[in-house]
Amino acid sequence: MNAFADQPILPFAQGDWRIEPRGSVGAALAEARRRCDLTIEQVAQSTRVPVRYLAAIEAERFDMIPARIYARGFAQAFARAVGLCERWTGDAICAALSDRKFAAAA
């Protein structure tokens, strides 16, 4: 049986392989961060995304992020830092945000 049957590895660029997770985007990012043995502060430092926004993404509190475009970009930077599929992350964020409102949009 293939060890990656439930999490296929997809190529994105030559020599760049990312895992496409299953489930909620916040939980997948948090688990990947822990697997990489990184603190949220270390991810914030490498991505230059404020800790409060990374924590909001992990908790799926997207209402704490100023706009959809920021939520998607921050989540994709987070995914890149912890080795997850950026395309899956962007799609998952868009799906999660499809019915949510933002402070700036209200």
Side-chain angles (χ1 to χ4, degrees), residues 39-96:
T39 65
I40 203 160
E41 290 81 11
Q42 290 170 319
V43 175
Q45 184 177 18
S46 70
T47 61
R48 296 184 180 179
V49 175
V51 172
R52 68 182 178 274
Y53 294 141
L54 296 176
I57 291 167
E58 281 190 357
E60 296 192 16
R61 293 287 319 271
F62 303 116
D63 57 317
M64 298 177 70
I65 301 172
R68 291 176 196 268
I69 192 73
Y70 290 118
R72 183 180 175 133
F74 292 164
Q76 287 179 315
F78 194 161
R80 187 178 320 114
V82 297
L84 291 184
C85 173
E86 293 174 50
R87 186 178 319 159
W88 175 86
T89 303
D91 292 345
I93 288 288
C94 285

Side-chain angles (χ1 to χ4, degrees), residues 2-65:
N2 185 352
F4 294 104
D6 60 335
Q7 293 189 359
I9 297 178
L10 304 173
F12 282 84
Q14 188 173 11
D16 183 22
W17 295 81
R18 304 276 184 201
I19 295 176
E20 181 177 308
R22 303 284 188 247
S24 90
V25 66
L29 289 166
E31 183 179 337
R33 179 181 57 77
R34 287 190 293 273
R35 283 187 183 178
C36 291
D37 197 30
L38 294 171
T39 65
I40 203 160
E41 290 81 11
Q42 290 170 319
V43 175
Q45 184 177 18
S46 70
T47 61
R48 296 184 180 179
V49 175
V51 172
R52 68 182 178 274
Y53 294 141
L54 296 176
I57 291 167
E58 281 190 357
E60 296 192 16
R61 293 287 319 271
F62 303 116
D63 57 317
M64 298 177 70
I65 301 172

